[in-house]
Amino acid sequence: AEGLARAGFRVVACLARGGDAPESVDLRGACALVIGAETRGVPDGFAGASRVTIPLAGAAESLNAAAAAAVVSFEAARQRRTS
């Protein structure tokens, strides 16, 4: 995480719970999206990262890692197009 920050990236961790909705986080600048393993989540080394959680309806606890990455990447692209 520190190396990414030194390189000019804002680190954004995608979590199953406890983060802000993707549309409320500024994803327009240089950012590194961290998607954790589906069973273990984001590694402890990313504790200081901005936190994003995809709101879900229904009984699902979380999306799989690929789906979560797609949703947040799409939101980043949407923000960049409309800014």
Side-chain angles (χ1 to χ4, degrees):
E2 293 173 13
L4 291 167
R6 279 194 302 272
F9 292 95
R10 190 168 51 93
V11 180
V12 179
C14 190
L15 308 172
R17 59 191 67 73
D20 297 315
E23 64 272 13
S24 67
V25 176
D26 183 0
L27 301 169
R28 294 173 295 170
C31 61
L33 179 60
V34 178
I35 306 292
E38 293 170 14
T39 56
R40 293 183 307 272
V42 174
D44 292 339
F46 294 98
S50 298
R51 297 163 142 16
V52 172
T53 296
I54 299 164
L56 299 174
E61 277 188 34
S62 65
L63 298 175
N64 72 27
V71 169
V72 179
S73 295
F74 181 85
E75 175 59 21
R78 185 197 67 78
Q79 287 182 19
R80 292 169 185 182
R81 279 192 311 272
T82 59
S83 65

